[in-house]
Amino acid sequence: MSTGEVKKVEEPLIIHTYPLCKYSDMREDMKQEAMEMCVTATEKFTDNYELAARSIKDNMDKRFGGPFHVVIGEAYACAITYQLKSLLYMYNAGNIAILVWRTVSTF
């Protein structure tokens, strides 16, 4: 290395292999169950996010009453209106983002 050169240090990418909750306003017990459902579905359907989302939605509807909505993907942005105490935004397996929310069923 010659004088004046700066050695660039590459920071290794941090990949989380555990579920990481970014935001939730659910009750703690509901949040834990929802996160378990999300982890199970994404592990079972690793190559098909559509089937994973359907599985999570069906399980959430059965367990907590509907209508729940689920979006799974790796690079997306969204804006939603949701019922209070029913939103979960999490990551699983590093880069799989999962958004679960319930809409108001009646006005």
Side-chain angles (χ1 to χ4, degrees), residues 27-79:
R27 296 182 328 265
E28 190 61 32
D29 60 329
M30 184 178 183
K31 178 178 108 174
Q32 290 303 321
E33 282 190 57
M35 287 181 70
E36 288 174 17
M37 287 179 202
C38 292
V39 169
T40 302
T42 54
E43 286 176 352
K44 184 176 180 181
F45 303 107
T46 55
D47 296 333
N48 193 334
Y49 293 153
E50 186 176 347
L51 287 176
R54 172 58 65 182
S55 173
I56 296 166
K57 183 215 178 335
D58 290 343
N59 287 329
M60 292 293 288
D61 286 349
K62 285 179 197 169
R63 178 69 176 97
F64 302 108
F68 275 93
H69 303 278
V70 180
V71 176
I72 300 177
E74 295 183 16
Y76 65 88
C78 65

Side-chain angles (χ1 to χ4, degrees), residues 19-25 31 35 88-91 97-98:
L20 175 67
C21 179
K22 291 296 283 183
Y23 178 79
S24 177
D25 68 351
K31 178 178 108 174
M35 287 181 70
L88 171 66
Y89 178 54
M90 65 175 282
Y91 286 95
I98 305 167

